[in-house]
Amino acid sequence: MSDESGSIWQALLSTGEYIATDADYEHGYDRRIREDLVRVVTFRVGDERHAVPIRQVREITRCFGTTPVPRTNDYITGVGTLRGELVPVLCLATRLGMAPGPVTRNSRIVLVTLDENIFGLQVDSVDGVMAIPPESLREPPSVLGGGSNAMHRDFVFALAREETGLVIVLNIATVVVPADFVHPRFRGAEVRR
Amino acid sequence: MSSQLTSLSEIQDLVEEFSRVLLEVDRAVREGAAPDPDHINACFRIVHTVKGISSMVEVSSLVQLSHALEGYLDELRLGRRPLERGTLDVLFEAVDVYGGILGHAANPNVPEPGVDGFLATMGGDLVTSEPQVPAQSPLGWLDEGVLSVLTEYEEHRLRENISAGRTIFAVHASFDLMEVDVGVERLKGILKDQGEVLTYLPSADAIREDMIDLDILVGSDQSIDAMRAALASESVSIDRLHADGQVVTGDGEARAASAPPPASALPSPSVPLQRRDEDSPRGPRTREPDTRPHGAAPAVDAPEVVSRSIRSVVQTVRVELSRLDALMNLVGELRVLQGDVARGLDGRDGGLTAIQQRELRVQTRQMARKIDALRDRILDVRMVPVGQMFDALARVVRKISREHGKDVRLTVSGEQTELDKLIVEELSDPLMHMIRNAIDHGIETVEERSALGKPLTGRVGLHARQRGNSVEITVEDDGRGMRWSDIRTKAVARGLVPREAAEMMTPKEALRLIFTPGFSTLDQVSELSGRGVGMDVVKTNIMRLSGLIDVESTPGAGTTFSLTLPVTLAIIQALVIKVGSQTFCVPLGSVMESLMLDRADVETVEGFEVANLRSETLPLVHLDRFFDLSPGPAREELYVIVVGLAQHRVGLIVDDLLEQKDVVIKPLGPGLDVVPGLAGATEIGAGQTVLLLDLATILAEAVQGFASGDLRARPEARP
């Protein structure tokens, strides 16, 4: 289901907490691996680099076929079946207020867990796993919170400035809000479950 | 499943059995006949078993209730408490209390019913006495062979009699094989006046082949002379076995010739005593129906109960529905995979010879058949007869008719009809509502009925039958019925339907207005049926089950509701349709027919598009507009699927009908399961996920849309 680099990341993900990174080796091999590092999976959406905490990521897959669901918000790509399980897929670019790019061979769906349910986040490409020292995490600047971007600021858990650039760590609980999937026009209609 | 749950559901089964037997007794009492003592004994035995299992699951209220009930039933079967409708009310209430306790034990969120109040109604003296082993009067004087065939009840009664200082007599009687039942009945009648008949034992020393000899153990306060006098008309001999607290040896007053020592007056264990049930044809079977092999009957009864319940668990396995759902999902996926393989085979011819290809095709087809067979077997497991639910409803009928002082008889048929367990569960509430309505609003009072010249006893019928892939359940009554014009007037008065629309209604359509929320035929709010919520709730529940409800009524003659339900919801037959560029599934059970309509046949009534279908007006809904989908190519001919749910009939305009398919439906999960109009999704091969339309909601919205004008025909398709 995944190409070679994808499967490497799968393997890394499965080993969980203690993956040494470049930062770990900065002062030589005997440096103790810090245990308080925030481990995230990083991916690209448009020109930005985003990340989600690794413990909330279950799997990364290539894009699978989804069926559009009527009456939902535009960021809901649709619902797909992955190994017999129904998975709602969100277009992360649309959700974050950006123009969605085309689906390419690098496009991936990051399967995240929230309250024991699985949701797919469609991204343009997956970079890898990164360990961020807590002290380099920054509150998102308040300017993000102004005007129509107010929603967007809620999505951001923290910002991390790495050598490779800015990484936006997302707060999954505010990005994936099941109660918000349905288009507002159809909310509160007679629901029988 | 935990053993706790297993025991609880076993208790539930027993309680249901208890209720069934009670209904039998109730019928006898209502008809003025003497209830079969076997029934009361059966009740006692059931409750006793429940008590045994209850102590294992450690639910004290169950033990308490069973213990008190056991005492109550014991008094009943000994005739110390009169068996009348009031007594039966208490017993029926016990069934409900059991239900409450079991509900709480299985799910702690369900409030626990107070047992104490109920126990108080049964009689405080029974409550206070803790379950206890009765003081054991030694029965060693009785022949061991006799002791071992006594049921625990008989043994218990024997001890009780001895404790009460009564004399135990052995009455030796001989009957002609042909007249044994009459003879035993006559003798029993006499003996009952003298004391308590403890047991009937076929005697070993029968003189002739065509005679049956019986030893009857009787406990009595009478002297042996009084007994002899009472039995003077019968050719019997009487021995005293136990009197004044001690064993009687060599009763001198007994007939000298036939006065054997007490122990040998009774058969020894080696005689065919143990098969006496077969030996004595039907006659002296007044003992409680005891199915255990007599030879295996141990002297102590408690472990017996335990081991019996364990055996029954081994024979049947209880399975949670969720496990079956998981199996069903797997089978569904297997079938999808099979389809993919078959398709893949069709697509490629390189590398395989024609023969190889043909063989593989045959094999994939066989595989499909096996998977379908597997699916059907799994479905079978989910099926339960509706009889269980009908029994519960019979209790409701009894209770409500008593509360209303109406005389109602319930007739039931088709109890063996099978439905998915889940549907049966969901169905009992709507059916209860309908039965309540029938008794409350339908059946007239006895005075009214007699004035009308109707039979005084009202009749409520509950019938089930299988019709192809669905089950039809009808609830009928022979009460006052409904006048469609009255219903129409009322609906207009309540503002439920515009006057102009109401005037165009056919009688059938007008009658269906009773399903409208807020409609009630009785102005007075009744304690039972509430205020017009009844039929609305029924409708919602039936729709949820992809069912159809219809009503027919003749004023003065009664009302019939008929429900058509799918046999199962675990797998549904779906019609795959195309709307715009998207594919959807529609439950085939709700599709009444599909038709091709010429665009010219579409008329507009007040701006709504309608078609005329066999003189009924069929409102039309464009599904593409309904879901804001990009419309398909404009055509002169329209595909219309006529769907019906509850009382509504609507024609859905679609772009194409693709195929008919059995599908396993999965819920859409959080966030998407609340999208109005969608009920789930399924995979139909090649990784394609297809949404299942929720017709109940679509129709409700369509009806609402017609009312609000939202669904007025638009000259051109929406941009």
Side-chain angles (χ1 to χ4, degrees), chain A residues 67-71 80-81 84 86 117 178 182 185-186 192-193, chain B residues 333 582 626 628 666-667 670-671 673-674 676 678 683 689 694 701:
Chain A
T67 301
V69 182
R71 301 183 156 189
T81 310
L86 284 180
N117 296 303
V182 181
R185 243 177 69 208
F186 300 103
R192 45 184 198 82
R193 271 168 285 263
Chain B
E333 284 160 32
Q582 203 169 335
F626 191 83
D628 286 330
K666 289 169 200 167
D673 59 354
V674 292
L678 301 179
E683 198 184 355
T689 309
D694 173 8
E701 255 186 70

PDB file of all heavy atoms in Angstrom, chain A residues 67-71 80-81 84 86 117 178 182 185-186 192-193, chain B residues 333 582 626 628 666-667 670-671 673-674 676 678 683 689 694 701:
ATOM      1  N   THR A  67     -15.762   8.371  -1.600  1.00  0.00           N
ATOM      2  CA  THR A  67     -17.047   8.736  -2.184  1.00  0.00           C
ATOM      3  C   THR A  67     -17.503  10.043  -1.556  1.00  0.00           C
ATOM      4  O   THR A  67     -17.555  10.143  -0.324  1.00  0.00           O
ATOM      5  CB  THR A  67     -18.077   7.632  -1.871  1.00  0.00           C
ATOM      6  OG1 THR A  67     -17.606   6.410  -2.418  1.00  0.00           O
ATOM      7  CG2 THR A  67     -19.437   7.964  -2.453  1.00  0.00           C
ATOM      8  N   PRO A  68     -17.793  11.032  -2.371  1.00  0.00           N
ATOM      9  CA  PRO A  68     -18.245  12.307  -1.801  1.00  0.00           C
ATOM     10  C   PRO A  68     -19.529  12.116  -1.013  1.00  0.00           C
ATOM     11  O   PRO A  68     -20.394  11.325  -1.398  1.00  0.00           O
ATOM     12  CB  PRO A  68     -18.514  13.190  -3.029  1.00  0.00           C
ATOM     13  CG  PRO A  68     -17.934  12.470  -4.189  1.00  0.00           C
ATOM     14  CD  PRO A  68     -17.793  11.032  -3.836  1.00  0.00           C
ATOM     15  N   VAL A  69     -19.630  12.795   0.104  1.00  0.00           N
ATOM     16  CA  VAL A  69     -20.835  12.688   0.928  1.00  0.00           C
ATOM     17  C   VAL A  69     -21.608  13.998   0.793  1.00  0.00           C
ATOM     18  O   VAL A  69     -21.087  15.059   1.148  1.00  0.00           O
ATOM     19  CB  VAL A  69     -20.477  12.436   2.415  1.00  0.00           C
ATOM     20  CG1 VAL A  69     -21.741  12.272   3.243  1.00  0.00           C
ATOM     21  CG2 VAL A  69     -19.595  11.212   2.542  1.00  0.00           C
ATOM     22  N   PRO A  70     -22.820  13.930   0.270  1.00  0.00           N
ATOM     23  CA  PRO A  70     -23.573  15.173   0.129  1.00  0.00           C
ATOM     24  C   PRO A  70     -23.891  15.785   1.479  1.00  0.00           C
ATOM     25  O   PRO A  70     -23.876  15.107   2.502  1.00  0.00           O
ATOM     26  CB  PRO A  70     -24.856  14.742  -0.595  1.00  0.00           C
ATOM     27  CG  PRO A  70     -24.910  13.270  -0.526  1.00  0.00           C
ATOM     28  CD  PRO A  70     -23.542  12.768  -0.227  1.00  0.00           C
ATOM     29  N   ARG A  71     -24.182  17.065   1.439  1.00  0.00           N
ATOM     30  CA  ARG A  71     -24.629  17.805   2.625  1.00  0.00           C
ATOM     31  C   ARG A  71     -23.549  17.958   3.688  1.00  0.00           C
ATOM     32  O   ARG A  71     -23.856  18.174   4.859  1.00  0.00           O
ATOM     33  CB  ARG A  71     -25.857  17.143   3.250  1.00  0.00           C
ATOM     34  CG  ARG A  71     -27.002  17.069   2.271  1.00  0.00           C
ATOM     35  CD  ARG A  71     -28.224  16.501   2.893  1.00  0.00           C
ATOM     36  NE  ARG A  71     -29.400  16.947   2.160  1.00  0.00           N
ATOM     37  CZ  ARG A  71     -30.633  16.746   2.571  1.00  0.00           C
ATOM     38  NH1 ARG A  71     -30.860  16.115   3.677  1.00  0.00           N
ATOM     39  NH2 ARG A  71     -31.642  17.190   1.862  1.00  0.00           N
ATOM     40  N   GLY A  80     -14.276   6.611   2.625  1.00  0.00           N
ATOM     41  CA  GLY A  80     -13.646   5.508   1.905  1.00  0.00           C
ATOM     42  C   GLY A  80     -13.652   4.256   2.752  1.00  0.00           C
ATOM     43  O   GLY A  80     -13.942   4.298   3.949  1.00  0.00           O
ATOM     44  N   THR A  81     -13.359   3.139   2.123  1.00  0.00           N
ATOM     45  CA  THR A  81     -13.289   1.879   2.859  1.00  0.00           C
ATOM     46  C   THR A  81     -11.843   1.415   2.886  1.00  0.00           C
ATOM     47  O   THR A  81     -11.240   1.224   1.832  1.00  0.00           O
ATOM     48  CB  THR A  81     -14.169   0.812   2.204  1.00  0.00           C
ATOM     49  OG1 THR A  81     -15.468   1.349   1.985  1.00  0.00           O
ATOM     50  CG2 THR A  81     -14.289  -0.406   3.103  1.00  0.00           C
ATOM     51  N   GLY A  84     -12.025  -2.821   5.032  1.00  0.00           N
ATOM     52  CA  GLY A  84     -13.340  -3.116   5.570  1.00  0.00           C
ATOM     53  C   GLY A  84     -13.888  -2.083   6.529  1.00  0.00           C
ATOM     54  O   GLY A  84     -14.996  -2.206   7.021  1.00  0.00           O
ATOM     55  N   LEU A  86     -14.984   1.837   7.424  1.00  0.00           N
ATOM     56  CA  LEU A  86     -15.346   3.103   6.794  1.00  0.00           C
ATOM     57  C   LEU A  86     -14.538   4.230   7.428  1.00  0.00           C
ATOM     58  O   LEU A  86     -14.476   4.334   8.650  1.00  0.00           O
ATOM     59  CB  LEU A  86     -16.833   3.396   6.991  1.00  0.00           C
ATOM     60  CG  LEU A  86     -17.832   2.624   6.130  1.00  0.00           C
ATOM     61  CD1 LEU A  86     -19.247   3.066   6.473  1.00  0.00           C
ATOM     62  CD2 LEU A  86     -17.552   2.834   4.664  1.00  0.00           C
ATOM     63  N   ASN A 117     -11.940   6.959  17.296  1.00  0.00           N
ATOM     64  CA  ASN A 117     -12.416   6.892  15.917  1.00  0.00           C
ATOM     65  C   ASN A 117     -11.275   7.280  14.981  1.00  0.00           C
ATOM     66  O   ASN A 117     -10.367   8.014  15.372  1.00  0.00           O
ATOM     67  CB  ASN A 117     -13.599   7.830  15.707  1.00  0.00           C
ATOM     68  CG  ASN A 117     -14.780   7.405  16.550  1.00  0.00           C
ATOM     69  OD1 ASN A 117     -15.237   6.272  16.437  1.00  0.00           O
ATOM     70  ND2 ASN A 117     -15.251   8.289  17.406  1.00  0.00           N
ATOM     71  N   PRO A 178     -16.038  16.245  14.440  1.00  0.00           N
ATOM     72  CA  PRO A 178     -17.132  15.531  13.774  1.00  0.00           C
ATOM     73  C   PRO A 178     -18.436  16.331  13.729  1.00  0.00           C
ATOM     74  O   PRO A 178     -19.154  16.298  12.739  1.00  0.00           O
ATOM     75  CB  PRO A 178     -17.283  14.263  14.613  1.00  0.00           C
ATOM     76  CG  PRO A 178     -15.921  14.037  15.173  1.00  0.00           C
ATOM     77  CD  PRO A 178     -15.342  15.395  15.416  1.00  0.00           C
ATOM     78  N   VAL A 182     -21.116  18.115   9.045  1.00  0.00           N
ATOM     79  CA  VAL A 182     -22.350  18.371   8.296  1.00  0.00           C
ATOM     80  C   VAL A 182     -22.429  19.848   7.947  1.00  0.00           C
ATOM     81  O   VAL A 182     -22.098  20.711   8.763  1.00  0.00           O
ATOM     82  CB  VAL A 182     -23.584  17.955   9.128  1.00  0.00           C
ATOM     83  CG1 VAL A 182     -24.857  18.186   8.338  1.00  0.00           C
ATOM     84  CG2 VAL A 182     -23.458  16.511   9.533  1.00  0.00           C
ATOM     85  N   ARG A 185     -26.348  24.121   6.914  1.00  0.00           N
ATOM     86  CA  ARG A 185     -27.734  24.166   6.443  1.00  0.00           C
ATOM     87  C   ARG A 185     -28.516  22.917   6.855  1.00  0.00           C
ATOM     88  O   ARG A 185     -29.741  22.940   6.923  1.00  0.00           O
ATOM     89  CB  ARG A 185     -27.731  24.261   4.915  1.00  0.00           C
ATOM     90  CG  ARG A 185     -28.341  25.536   4.391  1.00  0.00           C
ATOM     91  CD  ARG A 185     -28.251  25.601   2.888  1.00  0.00           C
ATOM     92  NE  ARG A 185     -29.101  24.644   2.228  1.00  0.00           N
ATOM     93  CZ  ARG A 185     -28.825  24.125   1.027  1.00  0.00           C
ATOM     94  NH1 ARG A 185     -27.725  24.461   0.388  1.00  0.00           N
ATOM     95  NH2 ARG A 185     -29.632  23.260   0.466  1.00  0.00           N
ATOM     96  N   PHE A 186     -27.781  21.821   7.066  1.00  0.00           N
ATOM     97  CA  PHE A 186     -28.477  20.564   7.341  1.00  0.00           C
ATOM     98  C   PHE A 186     -28.317  20.121   8.780  1.00  0.00           C
ATOM     99  O   PHE A 186     -28.585  18.984   9.124  1.00  0.00           O
ATOM    100  CB  PHE A 186     -27.984  19.478   6.387  1.00  0.00           C
ATOM    101  CG  PHE A 186     -28.239  19.840   4.962  1.00  0.00           C
ATOM    102  CD1 PHE A 186     -27.210  20.299   4.157  1.00  0.00           C
ATOM    103  CD2 PHE A 186     -29.514  19.750   4.445  1.00  0.00           C
ATOM    104  CE1 PHE A 186     -27.447  20.653   2.848  1.00  0.00           C
ATOM    105  CE2 PHE A 186     -29.758  20.104   3.140  1.00  0.00           C
ATOM    106  CZ  PHE A 186     -28.719  20.564   2.336  1.00  0.00           C
ATOM    107  N   ARG A 192     -32.136  10.871  13.489  1.00  0.00           N
ATOM    108  CA  ARG A 192     -32.806   9.783  14.199  1.00  0.00           C
ATOM    109  C   ARG A 192     -31.860   8.850  14.923  1.00  0.00           C
ATOM    110  O   ARG A 192     -32.219   7.783  15.325  1.00  0.00           O
ATOM    111  CB  ARG A 192     -33.685   9.020  13.228  1.00  0.00           C
ATOM    112  CG  ARG A 192     -33.014   8.727  11.931  1.00  0.00           C
ATOM    113  CD  ARG A 192     -33.954   8.060  10.974  1.00  0.00           C
ATOM    114  NE  ARG A 192     -33.196   7.412   9.933  1.00  0.00           N
ATOM    115  CZ  ARG A 192     -32.649   6.246  10.060  1.00  0.00           C
ATOM    116  NH1 ARG A 192     -32.753   5.598  11.189  1.00  0.00           N
ATOM    117  NH2 ARG A 192     -31.976   5.726   9.066  1.00  0.00           N
ATOM    118  N   ARG A 193     -30.611   9.209  15.069  1.00  0.00           N
ATOM    119  CA  ARG A 193     -29.730   8.339  15.850  1.00  0.00           C
ATOM    120  C   ARG A 193     -29.375   9.015  17.153  1.00  0.00           C
ATOM    121  O   ARG A 193     -29.337  10.220  17.204  1.00  0.00           O
ATOM    122  CB  ARG A 193     -28.466   8.007  15.073  1.00  0.00           C
ATOM    123  CG  ARG A 193     -28.641   6.779  14.231  1.00  0.00           C
ATOM    124  CD  ARG A 193     -27.496   6.641  13.276  1.00  0.00           C
ATOM    125  NE  ARG A 193     -27.624   7.574  12.194  1.00  0.00           N
ATOM    126  CZ  ARG A 193     -28.147   7.276  11.015  1.00  0.00           C
ATOM    127  NH1 ARG A 193     -28.561   6.085  10.794  1.00  0.00           N
ATOM    128  NH2 ARG A 193     -28.254   8.173  10.072  1.00  0.00           N
TER     129      ARG A 193
ATOM    130  N   GLU B 333     -17.210  -8.500   3.220  1.00  0.00           N
ATOM    131  CA  GLU B 333     -15.935  -8.169   2.592  1.00  0.00           C
ATOM    132  C   GLU B 333     -15.439  -9.311   1.710  1.00  0.00           C
ATOM    133  O   GLU B 333     -14.883  -9.092   0.632  1.00  0.00           O
ATOM    134  CB  GLU B 333     -14.895  -7.859   3.672  1.00  0.00           C
ATOM    135  CG  GLU B 333     -15.097  -6.494   4.284  1.00  0.00           C
ATOM    136  CD  GLU B 333     -14.426  -6.363   5.630  1.00  0.00           C
ATOM    137  OE1 GLU B 333     -13.377  -7.002   5.836  1.00  0.00           O
ATOM    138  OE2 GLU B 333     -14.964  -5.641   6.478  1.00  0.00           O
ATOM    139  N   GLN B 582     -23.067  10.261  -9.292  1.00  0.00           N
ATOM    140  CA  GLN B 582     -22.809   9.468  -8.091  1.00  0.00           C
ATOM    141  C   GLN B 582     -23.748   8.280  -7.949  1.00  0.00           C
ATOM    142  O   GLN B 582     -24.895   8.319  -8.386  1.00  0.00           O
ATOM    143  CB  GLN B 582     -22.911  10.367  -6.847  1.00  0.00           C
ATOM    144  CG  GLN B 582     -22.133   9.799  -5.684  1.00  0.00           C
ATOM    145  CD  GLN B 582     -21.999  10.794  -4.536  1.00  0.00           C
ATOM    146  OE1 GLN B 582     -22.061  12.000  -4.733  1.00  0.00           O
ATOM    147  NE2 GLN B 582     -21.810  10.259  -3.347  1.00  0.00           N
ATOM    148  N   PHE B 626     -32.266  17.384  -4.512  1.00  0.00           N
ATOM    149  CA  PHE B 626     -32.394  17.146  -3.084  1.00  0.00           C
ATOM    150  C   PHE B 626     -31.021  17.153  -2.411  1.00  0.00           C
ATOM    151  O   PHE B 626     -30.844  17.689  -1.324  1.00  0.00           O
ATOM    152  CB  PHE B 626     -33.080  15.800  -2.862  1.00  0.00           C
ATOM    153  CG  PHE B 626     -33.502  15.541  -1.457  1.00  0.00           C
ATOM    154  CD1 PHE B 626     -34.696  16.047  -0.980  1.00  0.00           C
ATOM    155  CD2 PHE B 626     -32.708  14.792  -0.603  1.00  0.00           C
ATOM    156  CE1 PHE B 626     -35.097  15.821   0.324  1.00  0.00           C
ATOM    157  CE2 PHE B 626     -33.099  14.560   0.697  1.00  0.00           C
ATOM    158  CZ  PHE B 626     -34.301  15.077   1.160  1.00  0.00           C
ATOM    159  N   ASP B 628     -28.228  18.393  -3.883  1.00  0.00           N
ATOM    160  CA  ASP B 628     -27.350  19.384  -4.506  1.00  0.00           C
ATOM    161  C   ASP B 628     -26.251  18.735  -5.327  1.00  0.00           C
ATOM    162  O   ASP B 628     -25.084  19.135  -5.248  1.00  0.00           O
ATOM    163  CB  ASP B 628     -26.706  20.287  -3.433  1.00  0.00           C
ATOM    164  CG  ASP B 628     -27.721  21.261  -2.882  1.00  0.00           C
ATOM    165  OD1 ASP B 628     -28.642  21.634  -3.633  1.00  0.00           O
ATOM    166  OD2 ASP B 628     -27.590  21.634  -1.701  1.00  0.00           O
ATOM    167  N   LYS B 666     -22.745  -0.596   6.820  1.00  0.00           N
ATOM    168  CA  LYS B 666     -21.979  -0.154   7.984  1.00  0.00           C
ATOM    169  C   LYS B 666     -22.371   1.263   8.330  1.00  0.00           C
ATOM    170  O   LYS B 666     -22.673   2.054   7.437  1.00  0.00           O
ATOM    171  CB  LYS B 666     -20.486  -0.186   7.658  1.00  0.00           C
ATOM    172  CG  LYS B 666     -19.956  -1.582   7.537  1.00  0.00           C
ATOM    173  CD  LYS B 666     -18.575  -1.569   6.970  1.00  0.00           C
ATOM    174  CE  LYS B 666     -18.276  -2.939   6.405  1.00  0.00           C
ATOM    175  NZ  LYS B 666     -17.096  -2.945   5.587  1.00  0.00           N
ATOM    176  N   PRO B 667     -22.375   1.576   9.614  1.00  0.00           N
ATOM    177  CA  PRO B 667     -22.699   2.954   9.986  1.00  0.00           C
ATOM    178  C   PRO B 667     -21.604   3.908   9.514  1.00  0.00           C
ATOM    179  O   PRO B 667     -20.439   3.515   9.394  1.00  0.00           O
ATOM    180  CB  PRO B 667     -22.766   2.910  11.511  1.00  0.00           C
ATOM    181  CG  PRO B 667     -22.023   1.686  11.907  1.00  0.00           C
ATOM    182  CD  PRO B 667     -22.123   0.724  10.775  1.00  0.00           C
ATOM    183  N   PRO B 670     -18.940   8.682  13.537  1.00  0.00           N
ATOM    184  CA  PRO B 670     -19.215  10.002  14.098  1.00  0.00           C
ATOM    185  C   PRO B 670     -19.019  11.096  13.046  1.00  0.00           C
ATOM    186  O   PRO B 670     -18.112  11.034  12.225  1.00  0.00           O
ATOM    187  CB  PRO B 670     -18.191  10.127  15.225  1.00  0.00           C
ATOM    188  CG  PRO B 670     -17.153   9.109  14.933  1.00  0.00           C
ATOM    189  CD  PRO B 670     -17.841   8.002  14.218  1.00  0.00           C
ATOM    190  N   GLY B 671     -19.866  12.070  13.109  1.00  0.00           N
ATOM    191  CA  GLY B 671     -19.734  13.203  12.190  1.00  0.00           C
ATOM    192  C   GLY B 671     -20.589  13.027  10.962  1.00  0.00           C
ATOM    193  O   GLY B 671     -21.324  13.924  10.578  1.00  0.00           O
ATOM    194  N   ASP B 673     -22.674  10.259  10.496  1.00  0.00           N
ATOM    195  CA  ASP B 673     -23.918   9.513  10.730  1.00  0.00           C
ATOM    196  C   ASP B 673     -25.092  10.441  10.984  1.00  0.00           C
ATOM    197  O   ASP B 673     -26.225  10.000  11.050  1.00  0.00           O
ATOM    198  CB  ASP B 673     -23.749   8.513  11.883  1.00  0.00           C
ATOM    199  CG  ASP B 673     -23.369   9.184  13.175  1.00  0.00           C
ATOM    200  OD1 ASP B 673     -23.128  10.403  13.151  1.00  0.00           O
ATOM    201  OD2 ASP B 673     -23.296   8.497  14.207  1.00  0.00           O
ATOM    202  N   VAL B 674     -24.813  11.732  11.147  1.00  0.00           N
ATOM    203  CA  VAL B 674     -25.916  12.661  11.385  1.00  0.00           C
ATOM    204  C   VAL B 674     -26.318  13.394  10.109  1.00  0.00           C
ATOM    205  O   VAL B 674     -27.194  14.245  10.142  1.00  0.00           O
ATOM    206  CB  VAL B 674     -25.549  13.695  12.478  1.00  0.00           C
ATOM    207  CG1 VAL B 674     -25.435  13.015  13.821  1.00  0.00           C
ATOM    208  CG2 VAL B 674     -24.277  14.425  12.140  1.00  0.00           C
ATOM    209  N   PRO B 676     -28.425  14.216   7.366  1.00  0.00           N
ATOM    210  CA  PRO B 676     -29.799  13.795   7.094  1.00  0.00           C
ATOM    211  C   PRO B 676     -29.930  13.219   5.687  1.00  0.00           C
ATOM    212  O   PRO B 676     -29.447  13.823   4.725  1.00  0.00           O
ATOM    213  CB  PRO B 676     -30.617  15.094   7.245  1.00  0.00           C
ATOM    214  CG  PRO B 676     -29.641  16.194   7.345  1.00  0.00           C
ATOM    215  CD  PRO B 676     -28.279  15.647   7.563  1.00  0.00           C
ATOM    216  N   LEU B 678     -28.818  10.093   4.843  1.00  0.00           N
ATOM    217  CA  LEU B 678     -27.909   8.974   4.633  1.00  0.00           C
ATOM    218  C   LEU B 678     -28.002   8.026   5.824  1.00  0.00           C
ATOM    219  O   LEU B 678     -28.079   8.462   6.962  1.00  0.00           O
ATOM    220  CB  LEU B 678     -26.471   9.456   4.481  1.00  0.00           C
ATOM    221  CG  LEU B 678     -26.219  10.427   3.327  1.00  0.00           C
ATOM    222  CD1 LEU B 678     -24.757  10.839   3.299  1.00  0.00           C
ATOM    223  CD2 LEU B 678     -26.627   9.806   2.007  1.00  0.00           C
ATOM    224  N   GLU B 683     -19.469  -1.349   0.741  1.00  0.00           N
ATOM    225  CA  GLU B 683     -18.461  -1.449  -0.302  1.00  0.00           C
ATOM    226  C   GLU B 683     -19.030  -2.379  -1.368  1.00  0.00           C
ATOM    227  O   GLU B 683     -19.478  -3.483  -1.053  1.00  0.00           O
ATOM    228  CB  GLU B 683     -17.193  -2.042   0.312  1.00  0.00           C
ATOM    229  CG  GLU B 683     -15.946  -1.805  -0.514  1.00  0.00           C
ATOM    230  CD  GLU B 683     -14.741  -2.503   0.092  1.00  0.00           C
ATOM    231  OE1 GLU B 683     -14.866  -3.074   1.194  1.00  0.00           O
ATOM    232  OE2 GLU B 683     -13.686  -2.487  -0.543  1.00  0.00           O
ATOM    233  N   THR B 689     -16.944   2.707  -2.376  1.00  0.00           N
ATOM    234  CA  THR B 689     -17.850   2.870  -1.255  1.00  0.00           C
ATOM    235  C   THR B 689     -19.122   3.550  -1.763  1.00  0.00           C
ATOM    236  O   THR B 689     -19.042   4.533  -2.487  1.00  0.00           O
ATOM    237  CB  THR B 689     -17.205   3.744  -0.164  1.00  0.00           C
ATOM    238  OG1 THR B 689     -15.910   3.213   0.116  1.00  0.00           O
ATOM    239  CG2 THR B 689     -18.030   3.748   1.095  1.00  0.00           C
ATOM    240  N   ASP B 694     -31.184   7.138   3.348  1.00  0.00           N
ATOM    241  CA  ASP B 694     -32.095   6.963   4.473  1.00  0.00           C
ATOM    242  C   ASP B 694     -33.456   7.494   4.033  1.00  0.00           C
ATOM    243  O   ASP B 694     -33.733   8.688   4.109  1.00  0.00           O
ATOM    244  CB  ASP B 694     -31.550   7.752   5.666  1.00  0.00           C
ATOM    245  CG  ASP B 694     -32.511   7.763   6.831  1.00  0.00           C
ATOM    246  OD1 ASP B 694     -33.521   7.048   6.765  1.00  0.00           O
ATOM    247  OD2 ASP B 694     -32.235   8.484   7.800  1.00  0.00           O
ATOM    248  N   GLU B 701     -38.368  14.810   5.043  1.00  0.00           N
ATOM    249  CA  GLU B 701     -37.965  16.123   4.539  1.00  0.00           C
ATOM    250  C   GLU B 701     -38.791  16.524   3.340  1.00  0.00           C
ATOM    251  O   GLU B 701     -39.171  17.684   3.184  1.00  0.00           O
ATOM    252  CB  GLU B 701     -36.489  16.073   4.131  1.00  0.00           C
ATOM    253  CG  GLU B 701     -35.578  16.762   5.104  1.00  0.00           C
ATOM    254  CD  GLU B 701     -34.170  16.809   4.577  1.00  0.00           C
ATOM    255  OE1 GLU B 701     -33.937  17.542   3.613  1.00  0.00           O
ATOM    256  OE2 GLU B 701     -33.321  16.063   5.098  1.00  0.00           O
TER     257      GLU B 701
END
